[in-house]
Amino acid sequence: MSKVLLIAPSFFGYRDSVADVLRSQGEEVTVVNDRPSEGFLFKAAGKINYNLAERKIDAYSQDLARLVGKGVFARLIYMGGMSFCFSRKQMERIRSASDACFVAYLWDSLRNCQRFGGAIDCFDDIVSFDPGDCVHRITLRPLFYRNALAEVSRVPEGGFEYDACFVGTVHQISKFKSVLRICETLEAEGRRVFKYFYVPGRSVALFRSFSERAYWRGDLKFKPLPPEELGDIYRKSKAIIDAPQMGQRGLTMRAIESVGLKRKLITTNRDVLNYDFAQEGRVLVFDDSKKVPRGFFDTPYLGLPPTVYESYSIDVFAKTLMGRASAYEGYRYEGI
């Protein structure tokens, strides 16, 4: 057993899920936020420039340095991306407080992490979900699906209620437009589509609506769908709809969840075709020039080897953070 400090944002329970799995694997885990505040104003300032909240961030880095400096942690794991708020000086302060192993997992592209690049050499090991960033000392490891989702993968008695579903955040405009195009195309073809458009706060939706008519919709949701309801919707759906943020190459959590769920995937991310699970009609890359082939829905999902499912599991993901997993080999660096 080793003592681990996990620093990550709290959204959608991903951090706590990883912490729970690490504990089940025998680690003693302490969890803290990766930024001093989860409030709207701090997040808004961070999207513009973290310099706007420098005093608050600096004080928080001192708090973390004191925590790390107690010398009890063998490993510090940062898990996040654009929410990384520390300057190089602040990260050096935290790093110099301990001789623990510092590991970073990025679920945003480096270009979207305004501060992480300046502190990159403060970490002993860096893992990323984005193949485009995996050069030199950064290695590739996709995101994960949680065990609870794998438990609802069985086809429901009586058949599927929905041909496809989308459940996710839509506060990024280009992503929202892509999701809407997919949903509207499927519905025009007579397909049954479940939609849950989540925006983290009415103020965010109001701000977006000043420049984008898509946010005038009356079906926006301001609370995440509870996990048990999410699992039920996935269970009732033949396919999962996905669209990454603009310029994002790494696979979203939703794309990886389709693997654990044993459901087909409709996505705008063409790079998915480089992954080992994307063959045999399991994945459709959507673009505006074509309709969804009828056979995509009419043919059954073909299963994958157990080793492939295992490689995308949260258990292997947690072992990767601890340096105990084999290298991920499910991606072809050929380009499509």
Side-chain angles (χ1 to χ4, degrees):
M1 181 185 74
S2 59
K3 294 185 177 182
V4 177
L5 179 64
L6 178 59
I7 303 175
S10 61
F11 62 89
F12 301 126
Y14 296 138
R15 179 189 69 189
D16 293 339
S17 294
V18 171
D20 287 344
V21 171
L22 286 171
R23 292 181 183 117
S24 74
Q25 294 175 355
E27 313 303 337
E28 183 178 331
V29 184
T30 299
V31 175
V32 297
N33 287 336
D34 67 332
R35 49 193 170 184
S37 173
E38 294 288 342
F40 171 74
L41 291 178
F42 181 86
K43 291 180 180 179
K47 289 182 182 298
I48 300 171
N49 194 308
Y50 278 121
N51 289 332
L52 298 175
E54 194 64 39
R55 292 180 65 181
K56 198 166 190 175
I57 296 170
D58 195 65
Y60 189 56
S61 74
Q62 293 180 52
D63 292 341
L64 285 182
R66 282 191 289 269
L67 176 62
V68 172
K70 293 179 180 179
V72 297
F73 300 109
R75 182 169 291 242
L76 181 148
I77 299 172
Y78 167 75
M79 188 173 69
M82 64 176 63
S83 60
F84 183 91
C85 64
F86 302 112
S87 68
R88 176 177 179 80
K89 180 180 178 180
Q90 292 157 355
M91 193 65 221
E92 283 181 332
R93 174 187 292 150
I94 299 169
R95 176 66 206 240
S96 63
S98 170
D99 59 359
C101 178
F102 278 53
V103 177
Y105 181 85
L106 299 179
W107 59 38
D108 286 311
S109 300
L110 270 175
R111 69 170 68 90
N112 293 328
C113 303
Q114 60 174 266
R115 284 199 161 185
F116 185 84
I120 199 168
D121 60 345
C122 292
F123 293 90
D124 300 297
D125 191 20
I126 302 172
V127 189
S128 173
F129 86 136
D130 193 323
D133 290 336
C134 293
V135 294
H136 306 303
R137 56 189 298 259
I138 303 179
T139 56
L140 177 64
R141 162 69 229 191
L143 286 161
F144 56 86
Y145 64 85
R146 289 180 276 195
N147 296 329
L149 289 183
E151 295 170 3
V152 301
S153 63
R154 185 182 307 171
V155 176
E157 293 184 13
F160 293 104
E161 184 173 339
Y162 306 106
D163 292 298
C165 70
F166 174 83
V167 179
T169 57
V170 293
H171 57 284
Q172 210 269 349
I173 294 174
S174 64
K175 172 183 175 178
F176 193 14
K177 287 183 175 180
S178 295
V179 170
L180 286 175
R181 281 195 294 270
I182 296 173
C183 293
E184 290 167 357
T185 297
L186 293 177
E187 289 172 333
E189 295 175 358
R191 297 294 177 184
R192 301 160 297 173
V193 181
F194 178 90
K195 305 181 291 289
Y196 196 94
F197 301 138
Y198 169 66
V199 179
R202 296 180 184 276
S203 56
V204 176
L206 178 62
F207 178 77
R208 292 284 189 269
S209 68
F210 291 143
S211 59
E212 182 51 58
R213 292 179 61 88
Y215 293 93
W216 293 10
R217 303 174 62 95
D219 57 353
L220 299 179
K221 309 297 183 182
F222 304 105
K223 292 183 179 180
L225 195 66
E228 61 276 9
E229 294 183 34
L230 174 63
D232 187 54
I233 294 300
Y234 279 156
R235 182 179 61 84
K236 295 176 180 178
S237 303
K238 289 183 182 178
I240 311 299
I241 296 171
D242 168 68
Q245 296 188 29
M246 181 182 297
Q248 179 176 303
R249 183 174 171 184
L251 297 186
T252 64
M253 188 72 75
R254 195 171 302 102
I256 303 301
E257 286 174 341
S258 75
V259 178
L261 288 159
K262 300 180 181 178
R263 295 295 188 264
K264 293 188 177 185
L265 176 69
I266 303 172
T267 181
T268 57
N269 187 350
R270 187 167 180 78
D271 198 56
V272 71
L273 298 178
N274 284 319
Y275 290 81
D276 55 3
F277 67 86
Q279 309 306 316
E280 306 296 334
R282 299 183 193 91
V283 175
L284 174 70
V285 176
F286 181 89
D287 62 52
D288 294 332
S289 65
K290 64 181 181 181
K291 295 185 177 182
V292 177
R294 179 169 296 274
F296 180 77
F297 288 107
D298 294 344
T299 56
Y301 173 92
L302 295 178
L304 292 158
T307 53
V308 175
Y309 290 117
E310 182 182 10
S311 70
Y312 295 100
S313 69
I314 191 172
D315 300 275
V316 171
F317 181 89
K319 290 178 181 178
T320 298
L321 298 180
M322 295 301 298
R324 294 199 305 262
S326 300
Y328 170 74
E329 297 180 343
Y331 183 85
R332 299 179 290 125
Y333 289 90
E334 297 177 8
I336 289 184

